[in-house]
Amino acid sequence: MLESPAPTLPGPVIDALREARLADPFGVLGPHRDEHGAVVRAIVPGAAAIQLTGADGEFLADMTRLHADGVFAGRLPGFSDRQPTAPDYRLRIRWPDGSEQIGADPYAFGLLLGELDLHLFNEGRHLELGKCLGAQCLTIDGEPGVRFAVWAPNARRVSVIGEFNGWNPARHPMRLRHGSGVWELFVPQGMGVRPGSRYKYDMTGPQGEALPDKADPVAQATELPPATASVVACAGHAAPPFGWNDAAWMAQRASTDPYAAPMSVYELHVLSWQRAANDSGRGWDILAERLVPYIRDLGFTHIELLPITEHPFGGSWGYQPLSLFAPTARLGSPEQFATFVDRCHQAGIGVILDWVPAHFPTDPHGLAMFDGTALYEHQDPREGYHQDWNTLIYNLGRNEVRGFLLANAVHWLEHFHVDALRVDAVASMLYRDYSREAGQWVPNRFGGRENLESVAFLREMNTVVHERCPGALTIAEESTAWPGVTASVESGGLGFSFKWNMGWMHDTLRYLGHAPIHRPWHHGDMTFGMVYAWSEAFVLPLSHDEVVHGKGSMIGKAPGDDWQRFANLRAYYGFMWTHPGKKLLFMGGEFAQWREWNHDDELDWGLLDQPAHRGVHSLVRDLNRLYRDLPALHAMDHRPEGFQWIVGDDHQNSVFAYLRRAGPDSEDVVLAVVNMTPVPRHGYRLGVPFAGTWEECLNTDAEIYGGSNLGNGGRVQADATPSHGQPASFSLTLPPLATLILRYAPEPAA
């Protein structure tokens, strides 16, 4: 019997292999038949020798070196046409230092992604991309490893590179799934890949050009910036490797009417809340230890995190994110983030994430010109370039891009149990001419300025979230008069749960900035919000944007001497917490930090040692307690029956008074009275719906908050004297620059 000749390869094929130019690596590498039996080909740059062994380690054959750059070939003994498949084998790689590596051949595995996965992805309907694309820890045919998959339809060739292959693109070229544009490869664990391995994709563009190495768009972990590699996380294929302890929270969330429930949000930038959060990747652990009890003590119902998806430039505060599926490595691992969310839920605190589907940065390792073409962005800069932020705009008219963002929203809500997404920059998505001059934008197909693709995306996103994630909320940062932002999709709206009330914020902060002597001429700034209060479901936001870029801190906006500034701020907070709408306050505002927020510095925690700042802190705690405990202050936030002006036109005295009700005919009634001048008002008569005892629940001028302690002794009696269209009334003492909150306290039945 003649011995089979040694396997060979044509010189051009060898050159294509070692130069990483081979578009179809599975056509050459791995097991193949020829007229003499089975031949296995491999490329392992730097290997001293390779043997073929059985799965049990039994020696089968030596492989022949075909080129010094690591191209090998060998015959599998005993394989013939009578055998339907080649026998199971392993590669035993010997390195020049004498060490060995044994593992399955990546090119011995068949197709990896199912046709349904690819079909749904191309249609933009695969809502679990975090379990499909990217780096997935799997066991295939009994072999543990990592399946890599990336969408790059216009690339000529794609390789996965990483520390497990010396970042050499010739080592692991990928297979193209024709029609879908997805490239895939399974790298067995024996080849050195494991959780924590760093990796990227090396590509050749459609014209044969070399592209920058790209991070994985669906990576679920990254290395610490400024480094830019993706990291095998293995958390996307199943739940994080710990048990959730928030089943009671999730069940309660699903059964709660968010419009009738209190919602008081503490917004924070986690890296500058306390600098200790930057400590060696333990940020989430430290925040669980310090932030959770702090928020619970202050009584906020939710925290809102400025974007924590991975972002290359810290100065963007997270609003220019890449690696949308990965929590930033600056704070720890994805598992640590999930544990933090779990701790929040166990403490009764909801978690809101700022989410950015409007644009992405131009960093070369990111999504920009991903496969050598405008894949994620629009090609025309009039549609695809954001002039204000030097970023690129997602092409939401492309199924795969739309589906990528939809799946990302679902990923945070389902995989990490996040309670709400606050969608950033919605206004920039809705209008094609946003921040553009004539000639700088492209009209829609009807000739209008509305971005129809974005509108369709936002409606679909909200529909998907509300259907798949019981009790999860979506909140729009939207600053225009676009109608129906929080109206249902079925009725023609965008379908958001809530919208930030930017008009209320701008008007009332403008009023706060005026000296009291000038406020009579600006009285409408405080009342105008009630003209449109029921047009949307609103959140009243005092956000990070209002305490940066020369706008001054919250206490810095108030006029007067220091005493008046603190009194102004306390009165304003009292007005806000009693006004219809959910509440949001950015960190530092709860204790009246003097400085503007600086993302490079932590908050000025030492101010809490000073009585005036500690007083504001105590006031915010008590406002949150009242807001939660009194249904009149939250149950009818979205309905006009829950609000009634008593005094809205006393511009001369700068006094505002209004009722809040828990229901149209409820005796659960609260009266808020706001005096925005430093002049006390004695004997100020106000009409109320019920005669009897009214309890003074809170006075922002109380001594414990740093005030002058002028008030009404804790309660007043209303008699049957009609006033302001009400059947009863009482006379109050209105402290200077203060808000009073009074609650009807009927005598208990005998």
Side-chain angles (χ1 to χ4, degrees):
M1 182 176 176
L2 294 176
E3 185 176 339
S4 298
T8 61
L9 273 175
V13 175
I14 291 176
D15 289 342
L17 272 175
R18 64 187 187 83
E19 294 171 6
R21 293 187 285 106
L22 200 65
D24 180 20
F26 280 81
V28 176
L29 299 174
H32 293 272
R33 291 177 184 267
D34 64 15
E35 64 272 22
H36 302 290
V39 60
V40 174
R41 306 185 190 100
I43 178 166
V44 186
I50 303 179
Q51 291 179 341
L52 298 175
T53 73
D56 58 0
E58 177 188 1
F59 172 80
L60 296 178
D62 287 310
M63 298 188 76
T64 301
R65 183 187 296 274
L66 303 183
H67 194 279
D69 285 347
V71 182
F72 292 82
R75 291 202 177 277
L76 284 170
F79 179 69
S80 70
D81 291 340
R82 292 188 299 274
Q83 294 174 277
T85 59
D88 194 9
Y89 69 93
R90 301 291 183 272
L91 302 178
R92 176 183 286 156
I93 305 168
R94 183 165 56 83
W95 299 101
D97 63 1
S99 63
E100 288 190 346
Q101 185 177 33
I102 302 175
D105 185 354
Y107 300 93
F109 293 87
L111 300 179
L112 303 174
L113 291 170
E115 292 297 333
L116 180 59
D117 280 324
L118 298 175
H119 173 73
L120 290 175
F121 170 67
N122 289 140
E123 286 198 340
R125 295 191 296 116
H126 200 310
L127 297 179
E128 297 188 350
L129 286 185
K131 299 178 182 179
C132 175
L133 300 185
Q136 303 293 327
C137 293
L138 301 173
T139 297
I140 299 179
D141 297 337
E143 197 70 34
V146 178
R147 183 188 70 198
F148 295 93
V150 63
W151 179 53
N154 302 301
R156 285 192 179 182
R157 175 210 49 91
V158 180
S159 295
V160 59
I161 56 175
E163 53 193 346
F164 51 88
N165 61 21
W167 303 93
N168 191 326
R171 180 69 179 91
H172 287 125
M174 303 176 77
R175 170 201 285 129
L176 174 63
R177 299 297 298 274
H178 291 278
S180 71
V182 173
W183 299 75
E184 64 179 15
L185 186 70
F186 180 69
V187 180
Q189 196 172 80
M191 293 293 107
V193 68
R194 54 185 45 85
S197 294
R198 297 176 298 136
Y199 71 98
K200 281 187 175 181
Y201 296 111
D202 179 275
M203 304 187 199
T204 300
Q207 306 304 318
E209 71 276 24
L211 301 178
D213 294 341
K214 293 290 188 177
D216 191 339
V218 190
Q220 298 191 40
T222 68
E223 61 179 337
L224 185 67
T228 57
S230 303
V231 171
V232 176
C234 293
H237 185 60
F242 70 93
W244 286 97
N245 301 287
D246 64 349
W249 168 272
M250 298 296 281
Q252 180 184 27
R253 189 190 81 179
S255 62
T256 298
D257 177 2
Y259 302 104
M263 183 176 176
S264 178
V265 182
Y266 183 82
E267 186 194 32
L268 73 151
H269 177 255
V270 290
L271 289 164
S272 59
W273 184 72
Q274 286 187 353
R275 297 303 294 178
N278 296 262
D279 178 29
S280 302
R282 290 193 60 247
W284 294 122
D285 298 336
I286 292 169
L287 288 165
E289 296 166 3
R290 302 184 185 183
L291 176 65
V292 171
Y294 181 77
I295 296 302
R296 187 168 185 175
D297 174 66
L298 275 176
F300 286 95
T301 65
H302 292 72
I303 57 171
E304 180 174 325
L305 309 178
L306 270 62
I308 54 96
T309 44
E310 193 58 271
H311 48 283
F313 176 48
S316 76
W317 314 332
Y319 288 103
Q320 294 193 13
L322 289 173
S323 299
L324 284 186
F325 286 76
T328 177
R330 297 171 175 91
L331 292 158
S333 69
E335 292 77 19
Q336 287 172 304
F337 173 65
T339 303
F340 169 75
V341 174
D342 197 51
R343 290 278 297 276
C344 287
H345 287 174
Q346 291 178 66
I349 300 166
V351 179
I352 303 170
L353 294 189
D354 279 12
W355 185 59
V356 188
H359 62 124
F360 59 90
T362 60
D363 298 64
H365 72 281
L367 301 180
M369 298 294 288
F370 187 76
D371 63 356
T373 68
L375 190 62
Y376 285 87
E377 68 271 36
H378 295 270
Q379 184 166 354
D380 188 334
R382 294 176 298 168
E383 297 181 276
Y385 178 70
H386 209 303
Q387 300 177 138
D388 290 355
W389 303 315
N390 190 32
T391 54
L392 299 173
I393 299 170
Y394 287 103
N395 181 358
L396 294 173
R398 187 162 196 165
N399 286 346
E400 293 89 348
V401 176
R402 188 183 75 251
F404 168 78
L405 291 172
L406 290 173
N408 184 248
V410 170
H411 176 74
W412 291 103
L413 297 169
E414 290 188 341
H415 184 63
F416 288 113
H417 290 202
V418 165
D419 301 289
L421 298 176
R422 177 271 201 181
V423 183
D424 181 64
V426 170
S428 75
M429 300 175 69
L430 293 176
Y431 298 98
R432 286 175 164 266
D433 63 344
Y434 181 87
S435 195
R436 295 179 187 271
E437 302 295 334
Q440 295 179 339
W441 58 281
V442 179
N444 63 35
R445 64 180 181 270
F446 301 111
R449 59 195 286 257
E450 298 81 9
N451 192 320
L452 303 180
E453 294 80 10
S454 289
V455 171
F457 163 76
L458 292 170
R459 287 173 172 163
E460 185 176 7
M461 183 272 297
N462 285 314
T463 299
V464 165
V465 166
H466 298 322
E467 287 178 352
R468 287 185 59 116
C469 309
L473 306 175
T474 57
I475 304 166
E477 185 211 17
E478 204 285 312
S479 56
T480 75
W482 185 281
V485 172
T486 59
S488 69
V489 171
E490 293 77 12
S491 65
L494 295 182
F496 283 94
S497 308
F498 293 99
K499 169 183 172 174
W500 275 17
N501 193 337
M502 311 291 278
W504 176 91
M505 176 270 297
H506 285 301
D507 289 349
T508 60
L509 287 182
R510 183 169 59 242
Y511 181 90
L512 177 66
H514 288 299
I517 195 172
H518 298 136
R519 285 175 177 168
W521 287 272
H522 303 278
H523 196 78
D525 284 345
M526 293 283 272
T527 61
F528 183 67
M530 293 311 305
V531 173
Y532 58 88
W534 322 116
S535 62
E536 304 278 5
F538 282 121
V539 174
L540 309 181
L542 299 179
S543 76
H544 63 281
D545 277 329
E546 310 320 314
V547 292
V548 291
H549 301 323
K551 296 178 184 177
S553 64
M554 288 303 303
I555 186 70
K557 298 177 190 300
D561 58 25
D562 283 358
W563 190 94
Q564 290 194 13
R565 284 186 159 190
F566 280 97
N568 267 299
L569 186 62
R570 294 193 305 266
Y572 180 79
Y573 283 170
F575 169 72
M576 172 180 172
W577 256 260
T578 54
H579 192 284
K582 309 309 181 186
K583 326 300 176 190
L584 180 141
L585 182 65
F586 185 61
M587 66 181 196
E590 78 274 21
F591 59 79
Q593 175 166 297
W594 285 110
R595 282 190 305 117
E596 277 194 345
W597 170 55
N598 181 344
H599 71 275
D600 286 326
D601 293 327
E602 74 172 15
L603 298 182
D604 294 332
W605 293 105
L607 293 176
L608 282 171
D609 295 330
Q610 300 179 21
H613 295 275
R614 191 167 60 249
V616 175
H617 191 263
S618 297
L619 173 66
V620 170
R621 179 193 295 114
D622 288 348
L623 284 170
N624 276 330
R625 175 183 54 80
L626 276 184
Y627 174 62
R628 290 194 324 270
D629 293 348
L630 300 182
L633 290 179
H634 62 254
M636 300 281 284
D637 261 340
H638 65 302
R639 296 178 57 183
E641 299 92 333
F643 178 90
Q644 184 178 4
W645 281 114
I646 297 298
V647 174
D649 58 355
D650 189 359
H651 58 86
Q652 183 175 354
N653 293 311
S654 298
V655 170
F656 310 84
Y658 43 90
L659 296 172
R660 298 296 311 278
R661 298 177 183 268
D665 302 314
S666 174
E667 290 189 352
D668 190 343
V669 181
V670 164
L671 175 71
V673 189
V674 186
N675 176 15
M676 293 302 289
T677 70
V679 180
R681 309 287 178 191
H682 298 282
Y684 198 99
R685 180 161 289 274
L686 289 165
V688 289
F690 305 111
T693 302
W694 287 71
E695 176 187 3
E696 192 175 67
C697 302
L698 186 142
N699 177 356
T700 66
D701 189 52
E703 186 176 8
I704 58 171
Y705 306 137
S708 63
N709 219 33
L710 184 65
N712 297 276
R715 62 183 56 233
V716 293
Q717 291 294 126
D719 57 35
T721 304
S723 183
H724 299 100
Q726 301 295 315
S729 63
F730 48 54
S731 291
L732 286 180
T733 293
L734 306 186
L737 294 171
T739 294
L740 300 177
I741 303 175
L742 300 101
R743 178 179 68 91
Y744 177 54
E747 297 295 328

